Structure formats: C-alpha cells, structure tokens
C-alpha cells in the first residue's frame, strides 16, 4: 500500500509500505476513506521533535472495516467507522471515569496517513457511523475532524466549562482552536472570543461562532479580554497551542475562579507557582478523551448541526502529502485532508 513517511525534518515522502494485517484478536483493519495532517505533525517536521529514523505518520482516520480479530464484537467488516487518535479498551476504570485517552491498556495511533491502518482495541476505540459511508464528502471530512481536532477542541471547551452564561476565550487559531470556537458556541456560550492575527483564520473563526476576534497576543491580548469583560477576564479559556506564550496568555485571560482547558500539545511550558496560586484559576487538560465524545459528535455531524470539516482548507491526494506538509508549515493551509 501507499503511505506517508517522514524521513527527517522537512523531508516527507509517500512510499510503498506493507499492508497491515490482524496481529491481536482485538484488532481491526480499516481502509481509509480520508486521512489528514495534524498541527502536531509539524513539530517533528520543523525539527522541534527528533526524527531518529524514517517513520510512518498520521493519527486521524475514518474508513471502512475490512477485517476484524476473533475477539472483536462491536464492529464488523463493512462498517464505516470513526476512531479516536488514542487507543482504548473503553472498559477499564480510567475509561469508565471518562478518560479513555489514558486507558491502562491504551496507546496512540501513528500510521494513518495511508491507504490502510490497523486499529488495536477496536471495540473500545472505534465508533460505527449509523447508515454506513456517507455520500457527501463534506460529511466525511467532518467525521474525520471528529477523530482528533474536533474532539480535542470539544474537550478544551468542556474542560474550560464553556456553556450558557459564560464568556469563552480561545487562544490559538489552528484547527483545534477553531474547533474549540465551534464547540463553545455549540455548548451554548453567551460570547466567544477568538485570538487571531490572520484574516483567513479570523474569518473562519467568525463563521464557526466567534463573536469577537482579537489580534493582540500575550499580555496585550489578555488585557483586551479584560476590557471586554468588565475588567474580570473570561469565565472559560481554551489554550490550543502548547507553548509558553499561549499558556501565559490563557491564564492571564481567565478571571479568578474561572477555568482554563489546555489541549495544545505542551512544548517547554512552565507555570509559575506563585502566579498560578494568586490567579485562582482551574487548570484541566491533556490528550483529549475523544472516544468519550464521539457518539455525540457523530450524531451532531450527521444532523448537520455542526460542520467541523470547514477546518480543511486544502484537500489533496495522499500522493501529494509533501505539499500538504509544506502548505501547513507555511500557513497557506489551516489543515490538509489527504485522499487515499
């Protein structure tokens, strides 16, 4: 089969790889209908994470089941499925408490930018899409978004306790941040504030539900939020970047007693204990428990209540993945959908 390989920072190719087969009785094999490039894939692409040897790429996926192991009960050959980027059995105590992203028998997907992928713990990781494979490519794109960025943005909004009566600020205008804007509005927030200095992303943020877009960042951006909230700060803040500036900005934008949901993959972030102590904000985040939200998100997508597939501003063949990485790195695309 064909699949994406990162050989070194800045060096992405599409080559022949062995088609996956059932290894464990809890496995399923998926023929991908769509895959995509994630913002987190840019960390190794930019040399900010080591690439010690060529490796397959991708952790977001939607497709048709072509084979299952003997122990698989919840999905069958022919089912059209969405799966989380985190592997989970969905039965351990941690999964049952709502955190399948930290399943005691879990892990992470890592090779879905390809024609096929093997999904371990298929019963706990995959969710069947009612009605089978949609005919509408936009619905497929939205279901693909649910595999990670929508589910991650949704968790960010839930962790920040976004909802009616709340002002929600979202730090980050990538696909996860934009999904958090959508989530906050869908969860009933009174006012959603997005931070963006890029007009194309700001326009999409408004389309997805942002009431206000702030161009300033850092302390200036936080001050703008306070000006809009009677000097208090937002009730809920989603941090969707993962660096020091974004975390500091998120905490500074939040009112005492407010909630910060942080879902940007952390890179060299440090939190000043004294500043955190006197801020009196709640912090909650980490790898998103996407599997917890998938049934609800799939239902909302099929009913066309939400359209998270709008974050895919470039859709290209799998064979052109190298151009997709370059486009995202150069900020010419927000998120790139790959068509196997």
């Amino acid at each position: 089969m064909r699949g994406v390989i990162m050989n070194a920072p800045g060096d992405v190719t599409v080559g022949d790889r062995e088609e996956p087969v059932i290894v464990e009785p809890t496995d399923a094999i998926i023929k991908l209908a769509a895959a995509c490039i994630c913002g987190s894939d840019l960390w190794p692409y930019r040399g900010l994470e080591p690439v010690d040897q060529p490796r397959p790429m991708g952790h977001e996926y939607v497709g048709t089941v072509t084979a299952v192991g003997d122990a698989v009960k919840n999905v069958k050959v022919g089912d059209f499925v969405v799966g989380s980027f985190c592997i989970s059995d969905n039965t351990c105590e941690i999964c049952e408490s709502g955190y399948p992203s930290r399943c005691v028998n879990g892990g992470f997907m890592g090779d879905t930018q390809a024609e096929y992928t093997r999904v371990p713990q298929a019963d706990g990781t995959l969710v069947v899409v009612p009605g089978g494979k949609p005919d509408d490519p936009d619905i497929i794109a939205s279901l693909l978004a649910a595999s990670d960025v929508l589910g991650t943005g949704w968790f960010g909004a839930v962790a920040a306790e976004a909802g009616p009566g709340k002002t929600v600020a979202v730090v980050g205008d990538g696909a996860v941040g934009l999904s958090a804007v959508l989530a906050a509005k869908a969860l009933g927030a009174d006012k959603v504030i997005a931070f963006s200095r890029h007009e194309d992303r700001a326009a999409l943020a408004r389309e997805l539900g942002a009431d206000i877009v702030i161009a300033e960042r850092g302390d200036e951006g936080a001050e703008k939020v306070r000006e809009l909230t009677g000097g208090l700060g937002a009730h809920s803040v989603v941090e969707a970047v993962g660096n020091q500036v974004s975390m500091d900005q998120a905490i500074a934008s939040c009112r005492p007693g407010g909630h910060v949901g942080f879902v940007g993959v952390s890179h060299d972030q440090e939190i000043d204990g004294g500043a955190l102590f006197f801020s009196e904000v709640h912090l909650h985040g980490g790898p998103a428990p996407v599997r917890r939200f998938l049934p609800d998100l799939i239902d909302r997508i099929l009913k066309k209540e939400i359209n998270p597939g709008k974050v895919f501003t470039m859709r290209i063949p799998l064979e052109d993945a190298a151009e997709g990485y370059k486009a995202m790195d150069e900020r010419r695309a927000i998120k790139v959908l790959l068509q196997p």
Side-chain angles (χ1 to χ4, degrees), residues 17 104 159 218:
R17 285 173 32 205
V104 298

Side-chain angles (χ1 to χ4, degrees), residues 270-338:
E270 295 182 356
I271 298 176
D272 182 286
L276 180 61
F277 182 79
F278 285 104
S279 72
E280 294 200 55
V281 303
H282 303 75
L283 290 178
H284 183 195
V290 170
R291 177 61 181 80
R292 187 211 303 181
F293 305 115
L294 273 178
D296 178 44
L297 297 180
I298 290 170
D299 183 59
R300 290 173 187 257
I301 289 166
L302 295 180
K303 290 178 177 176
K304 297 187 178 181
E305 294 175 358
I306 56 174
N307 186 6
K310 289 181 178 182
V311 299
F312 294 108
T313 56
M314 179 182 285
R315 303 184 187 189
I316 59 176
L318 177 70
E319 292 291 333
D320 296 335
E323 170 56 24
Y325 272 83
K326 187 176 180 182
M328 284 183 63
D329 180 47
E330 296 173 353
R331 298 183 73 88
R332 290 185 284 111
I334 296 173
K335 191 168 178 68
V336 176
L337 184 147
L338 302 173

Side-chain angles (χ1 to χ4, degrees), residues 84-108 121 123-127 155 287-295:
S84 167
F85 70 97
C86 294
I87 298 161
S88 62
D89 60 24
N90 213 35
T91 60
C92 76
E93 283 190 42
I94 303 303
C95 286
E96 289 184 342
S97 71
Y99 290 86
S101 48
R102 301 298 298 155
C103 174
V104 298
N105 296 308
F108 295 90
Q121 301 288 354
D123 275 344
T125 303
L126 299 174
V127 177
F155 175 53
V290 170
R291 177 61 181 80
R292 187 211 303 181
F293 305 115
L294 273 178

Side-chain angles (χ1 to χ4, degrees), residues 17-326:
R17 285 173 32 205
E18 192 170 330
E19 191 172 311
V21 297
I22 299 294
V23 176
E24 301 290 340
T26 51
D27 290 348
I29 306 298
I30 308 298
K31 178 177 173 58
L32 279 298
C36 55
I37 302 169
C38 184
S40 64
D41 294 330
L42 297 181
W43 292 99
Y45 185 80
R46 292 169 173 166
L48 299 173
E49 288 180 1
V51 183
D52 299 324
Q53 60 185 5
R55 71 188 207 197
M57 297 296 294
H59 54 264
E60 299 155 284
Y61 56 103
V62 59
T64 302
V65 177
T66 60
V68 296
D70 292 340
V72 175
K73 307 297 183 185
N74 297 340
V75 298
K76 64 183 186 299
V77 173
D79 283 342
F80 192 75
V81 295
V82 183
S84 167
F85 70 97
C86 294
I87 298 161
S88 62
D89 60 24
N90 213 35
T91 60
C92 76
E93 283 190 42
I94 303 303
C95 286
E96 289 184 342
S97 71
Y99 290 86
S101 48
R102 301 298 298 155
C103 174
V104 298
N105 296 308
F108 295 90
M109 297 294 291
D111 62 352
T112 64
Q113 292 170 12
E115 294 180 286
Y116 293 86
T117 191
R118 179 176 72 92
V119 183
Q121 301 288 354
D123 275 344
T125 303
L126 299 174
V127 177
V128 177
V129 176
K133 183 179 179 180
D135 295 327
D136 187 345
D138 288 337
I139 295 292
I140 291 176
S142 286
L143 292 170
L144 175 61
S147 181
D148 183 355
V149 290
L150 173 61
T152 295
W154 201 274
F155 175 53
V158 168
E161 299 204 354
K166 303 289 185 66
T167 293
V168 182
V170 178
V171 182
D173 61 359
V176 171
L178 292 166
S179 296
V181 167
L182 179 157
K185 186 60 69 171
L187 291 167
D190 279 11
K191 183 182 296 182
V192 179
I193 301 170
F195 289 97
S196 181
R197 295 190 286 181
H198 304 273
E199 188 46 47
D200 58 334
R201 295 169 186 247
L204 184 51
R206 293 186 184 96
E207 189 175 345
L208 292 173
D211 300 292
I212 299 169
V213 177
I214 295 174
E216 290 82 359
R217 63 185 300 186
D219 290 339
E220 291 184 358
E223 180 58 33
K224 286 286 186 180
V225 173
R226 288 192 291 271
E227 289 176 6
L228 292 166
T229 55
L232 301 178
H235 301 90
S236 306
V237 183
V238 179
E239 189 284 305
V241 181
N243 62 29
Q244 189 66 52
V245 171
S246 61
M247 179 61 84
D248 291 344
Q249 181 175 334
I251 293 173
S253 298
C254 192
R255 67 178 58 196
H259 295 76
V260 175
F262 61 101
V263 292
V265 180
S266 180
H267 287 78
D268 300 321
Q269 287 174 321
E270 295 182 356
I271 298 176
D272 182 286
L276 180 61
F277 182 79
F278 285 104
S279 72
E280 294 200 55
V281 303
H282 303 75
L283 290 178
H284 183 195
V290 170
R291 177 61 181 80
R292 187 211 303 181
F293 305 115
L294 273 178
D296 178 44
L297 297 180
I298 290 170
D299 183 59
R300 290 173 187 257
I301 289 166
L302 295 180
K303 290 178 177 176
K304 297 187 178 181
E305 294 175 358
I306 56 174
N307 186 6
K310 289 181 178 182
V311 299
F312 294 108
T313 56
M314 179 182 285
R315 303 184 187 189
I316 59 176
L318 177 70
E319 292 291 333
D320 296 335
E323 170 56 24
Y325 272 83
K326 187 176 180 182

